[in-house]
Amino acid sequence: MKKIILIVYFLFFSVVSFAQNFKYAFVSDTHIGSANADEDLRRTVADINNQPELEFTIITGDITEMGTNEELRLAKEILSGLKKPYYIMPGNHDTGWSESGGVTFIKEFGYDKFTFDHKGYRFIGCASGPYVRMSDGHIPRDATVWLTDILKKTPKEMPVIFANHYPIDNSLDNWYEVTDRLKTKNIQYVICGHGHNNHTYNFEGIPATMGRSNLRAKDSIGGYNVVNMTKDTVYFSLKKPMQALLPSWRKIPLKTFVHQTLKAYERPNYAINRKHAKVKEVWTYHSSANVVNTPTCNENLVVFGNSLGLIEALNKTTGKRIWSYQTKGAIYSSPVATKQLVIIGSGDGNIYALNIATGKLAWKVTTEHSVLGSPIIDDNTVFIGGSDHVFRALDIETGKLIWKYEGIEGAMVGKPLIYRGKIIFGSWGRHLYALNIKTGSLAWKWGSNTMNRMFSPAMVTPVATKGVVYIAAPDRFLTAIDVNNGETLWRNKEAGVRESIGLSADSTTIYGKTMQDEIVGYKTQSTDPGVAWKFNAGFGYEHAPSQLIEKDGKVFFGTKSGVVYVFDPKTKQNLWAHKIDNSMVNTVHVVDGNTVLVSTMDGKVSLLKSK
């Protein structure tokens, strides 16, 4: 018994003697770009500067409202007023709606994750968000690789404090990748934002604290937390600018972390793969960063880009990497391929054309800002939109500009549709555009009359038949638009379809994926047909914008939970399903009725075959 007491005493003493007392500021959810946000942050910066005992500041994400370049520049200008060091990370508002794919955040602040040591403690902060499109929270693949490396280099007894925008629970689709790693070290506590209120958490035995938003909300002034690190306890206290520090509302004992192994915690379930054993992963390749695009392929190669700006080509038969090409910005653009070239946009502001066999640069076109939109080809012309508010038509062999349309509101991040002499695409500026494919002149511009940018038809993939264009924006309406003049023919919200639709092979049916279990069908016609049929596909709550694609009498789609589903549109029954990982599946690339290429948010690219 004495021996046990001595060991416990030694472990406790080793922590408290290793670390020293200090205080820091904990700020979160500043949302620059929303009402009064800049004034609230300026007050907080001045208030922190008036407290010399605060040794640094940590800011846990959602720095801006919409992740625009202008908002990020303003946030940097305000935070540069801090007299002592600050450490910052992006949140979902800085990544999910970013017009640069996160590139501008890194340009402004120098990083999107951080680690530093202070008075015996190691602080680690990771980026998180959905990336460009709607999905669950996600710690990016490159950040989990980085975190693994940082923790390997961290002495086992060294106390660790982890910071992230999201709570480290299932609001992140890969929360377990963080908790499993942290529990191998002497983790003391986690701080996070996202919920806009001071809140006590415990993540699988790791104590945690959510900090309030810096916004004033319904109050007259904003606020943040002062964190007081003593030798045996950490205290969190609310501080409103120019007001007295309030008594601590949260305290956490500082002691050697003991990993509790007896309790079983929630983990992703892959039982669905045993149920559909006829489906096999021919190969799976795990890229070094997120993949938020649909791979292209030819007879020999599969090509895609990742969020570190790396374009990769894999052998289609084996999944082994054949070549790679490094750009200088995150890639969210889905590539297109010809016999000789693969064409893709990058967050570094360039449009690249590479020799598809070798990966050598054929040409590149430099734009004013990031290029997150996906290209599409018609004859000898490639069409693509950029975050510089310009849509371009380029010669496919040389990259020479044929025409451009300027003045598009908001960033373009989706894939265009070519139909009846028009090229049709959406943006984060609340509108769907139709340009004359030969001249680039505006044919029409459609909007739903909402002022909310988050309902913009940016991630829609339009489909069209019989003179009607169909889209499903985040407002959950299926909308039919006259291709000739952009007039709204009808809007139906009966099923609540969000961003995920597809056209049947015979063009008689619009398929839609709802946000809860159901697949629905609508007849293609110029008057509102209502829902023609529906069936329960059993995928649960769902919001990933994955297009439904029919091939050889089967319809394929992906979900936010890493599962690919295939159903028979005639019998309205699932044929099979297969789980790749626990993150969002992008729109799949259907090779044939039994073969599909799949990419996921977490960077997995798989070739699936069913018997």
Side-chain angles (χ1 to χ4, degrees), residues 333-600:
S333 174
S334 297
V336 292
T338 68
K339 289 183 179 180
Q340 289 80 31
L341 298 175
V342 60
I343 300 166
I344 193 169
S346 170
D348 66 11
N350 290 296
I351 302 160
Y352 291 88
L354 306 178
N355 182 296
I356 196 168
T358 66
K360 300 291 184 184
L361 181 67
W363 54 260
K364 74 175 181 178
V365 172
T366 300
T367 76
E368 294 288 327
H369 293 293
S370 297
V371 183
L372 308 182
S374 297
I376 191 169
I377 292 171
D378 183 57
D379 293 330
N380 295 316
T381 307
V382 59
F383 303 90
I384 188 168
S387 294
D388 58 353
H389 312 295
V390 178
F391 193 90
R392 293 171 172 84
L394 307 173
D395 181 272
I396 205 165
E397 298 296 328
T398 65
K400 183 179 178 181
L401 182 68
I402 298 172
W403 56 254
K404 64 180 179 179
Y405 180 81
E406 300 178 289
I408 292 168
E409 183 186 358
M412 289 160 280
V413 294
K415 184 177 181 179
L417 167 72
I418 295 173
Y419 183 65
R420 290 197 178 179
K422 297 178 178 66
I423 186 153
I424 302 163
F425 56 91
S427 79
W428 277 120
R430 300 186 291 268
H431 290 98
L432 189 77
Y433 294 81
L435 306 181
N436 183 295
I437 199 167
K438 298 296 183 184
T439 66
S441 60
L442 180 67
W444 49 259
K445 184 170 74 170
W446 176 90
S448 63
N449 296 320
T450 179
M451 295 304 293
N452 190 337
R453 285 181 291 179
M454 295 180 188
F455 287 161
S456 297
M459 288 310 305
V460 304
T461 302
V463 298
T465 185
K466 304 171 188 173
V468 180
V469 178
Y470 298 89
I471 63 167
D475 60 6
R476 306 183 196 180
F477 282 90
L478 179 66
T479 302
I481 302 164
D482 189 320
V483 73
N484 297 308
N485 54 28
E487 299 273 332
T488 302
L489 297 173
W490 53 265
R491 281 164 58 78
N492 184 296
K493 202 177 183 179
E494 181 181 350
V497 175
R498 176 178 179 146
E499 297 178 307
S500 298
I501 63 172
L503 181 64
S504 65
D506 63 6
S507 297
T508 63
T509 303
I510 299 295
Y511 303 125
K513 173 161 62 77
T514 72
M515 295 184 69
Q516 188 66 52
D517 284 320
E518 286 187 334
I519 298 295
V520 295
Y522 304 81
K523 292 182 179 179
T524 53
Q525 60 187 59
S526 58
T527 56
D528 188 349
V531 174
W533 53 261
K534 59 185 176 182
F535 80 96
N536 189 323
F539 46 72
Y541 174 67
E542 172 57 27
H543 52 224
S546 178
Q547 188 179 9
L548 287 79
I549 300 173
E550 183 175 346
K551 187 86 171 183
D552 298 337
K554 301 171 184 176
V555 181
F556 299 73
F557 65 92
T559 67
K560 74 179 185 67
S561 56
V563 182
V564 179
Y565 285 84
V566 182
F567 70 88
D568 185 327
K570 292 182 178 179
T571 64
K572 315 296 188 298
Q573 292 182 332
N574 286 337
L575 297 174
W576 57 262
H578 186 85
K579 187 174 178 68
I580 306 294
D581 66 19
N582 206 51
S583 66
M584 184 190 78
V585 173
N586 303 301
T587 294
V588 299
H589 184 121
V590 183
V591 180
D592 58 48
N594 297 314
T595 312
V596 59
L597 267 170
V598 183
S599 62
T600 73

Side-chain angles (χ1 to χ4, degrees), residues 16-42:
V16 298
S17 63
F18 192 60
Q20 303 174 47
N21 294 358
F22 60 93
K23 295 180 180 180
Y24 68 92
F26 167 26
V27 181
S28 196
D29 294 87
T30 57
H31 288 274
I32 294 299
S34 62
N36 303 312
D38 55 339
E39 182 182 1
D40 290 339
L41 185 54
R42 289 184 197 278

Side-chain angles (χ1 to χ4, degrees), residues 63-359:
I63 312 306
T64 65
E65 180 66 10
M66 290 294 288
T68 67
N69 298 337
E70 181 182 355
E71 290 171 350
L72 286 164
R73 281 192 290 268
L74 178 57
K76 175 65 180 299
E77 178 229 306
I78 298 171
L79 291 169
S80 294
L82 286 166
K83 294 177 180 178
K84 291 187 179 178
Y86 70 89
Y87 304 91
I88 192 167
M89 67 190 67
N92 55 297
H93 278 257
D94 310 306
T95 55
W97 292 277
S98 168
E99 64 183 348
S100 70
V103 172
T104 300
F105 188 98
I106 295 172
K107 282 183 178 178
E108 292 293 341
F109 297 105
Y111 54 83
D112 64 354
K113 46 191 174 288
F114 61 79
T115 184
F116 66 95
D117 296 344
H118 189 81
K119 294 187 174 180
Y121 288 86
R122 176 155 292 173
F123 288 80
I124 304 172
C126 277
S128 65
Y131 284 80
V132 174
R133 58 176 67 181
M134 182 67 181
S135 69
D136 284 340
H138 182 80
I139 302 286
R141 161 76 171 155
D142 67 283
T144 58
V145 172
W146 172 84
L147 178 61
T148 301
D149 184 59
I150 293 295
L151 291 175
K152 277 183 181 178
K153 297 173 182 176
T154 300
K156 191 170 181 63
E157 72 281 0
M158 188 175 193
V160 173
I161 296 166
F162 184 76
N164 190 64
H165 177 62
Y166 275 84
I168 312 302
D169 57 18
N170 60 12
S171 57
L172 289 166
D173 59 29
N174 60 343
W175 80 95
Y176 52 92
E177 294 196 81
V178 176
T179 54
D180 287 352
R181 287 163 171 81
L182 293 178
K183 286 187 285 188
T184 66
K185 296 296 179 178
N186 189 16
I187 179 68
Q188 296 300 293
Y189 62 86
V190 170
I191 57 174
C192 67
H194 191 60
H196 286 220
N197 66 90
N198 287 332
H199 190 77
T200 297
Y201 276 104
N202 185 289
F203 303 135
E204 300 184 3
I206 304 171
T209 301
M210 174 184 283
R212 60 156 290 166
S213 168
N214 190 64
L215 297 173
R216 69 186 68 176
K218 295 180 180 179
D219 202 348
S220 60
I221 195 168
Y224 61 101
N225 278 275
V226 169
V227 185
N228 183 11
M229 299 283 292
T230 70
K231 289 188 179 298
D232 58 6
T233 307
V234 57
Y235 299 91
F236 293 81
S237 300
L238 175 62
K239 181 70 170 71
K240 294 184 178 182
M242 311 311 165
Q243 295 183 14
L245 181 69
L246 295 177
S248 64
W249 63 271
R250 164 80 157 137
K251 65 179 181 178
I252 301 171
L254 299 173
K255 56 187 178 180
T256 299
F257 180 76
V258 179
H259 184 186
Q260 300 294 332
T261 58
L262 296 178
K263 184 175 180 179
Y265 293 100
E266 176 192 2
R267 289 296 180 266
N269 189 330
Y270 287 78
I272 196 168
N273 293 352
R274 294 192 295 273
K275 183 178 178 181
H276 300 280
K278 65 179 181 179
V279 183
K280 301 295 182 184
E281 294 180 25
V282 179
W283 52 257
T284 295
Y285 176 86
H286 208 169
S287 187
S288 59
N290 288 5
V291 174
V292 194
N293 55 71
T294 300
T296 191
C297 68
N298 63 11
E299 292 181 359
N300 303 311
L301 296 174
V302 172
V303 184
F304 58 92
N306 73 22
S307 59
L308 289 180
L310 187 67
I311 303 169
E312 300 180 87
L314 311 180
N315 181 289
K316 191 176 178 181
T317 303
T318 66
K320 301 296 183 184
R321 192 165 81 174
I322 303 301
W323 58 256
S324 65
Y325 184 93
Q326 184 67 56
T327 75
K328 295 180 180 179
I331 293 175
Y332 297 98
S333 174
S334 297
V336 292
T338 68
K339 289 183 179 180
Q340 289 80 31
L341 298 175
V342 60
I343 300 166
I344 193 169
S346 170
D348 66 11
N350 290 296
I351 302 160
Y352 291 88
L354 306 178
N355 182 296
I356 196 168
T358 66

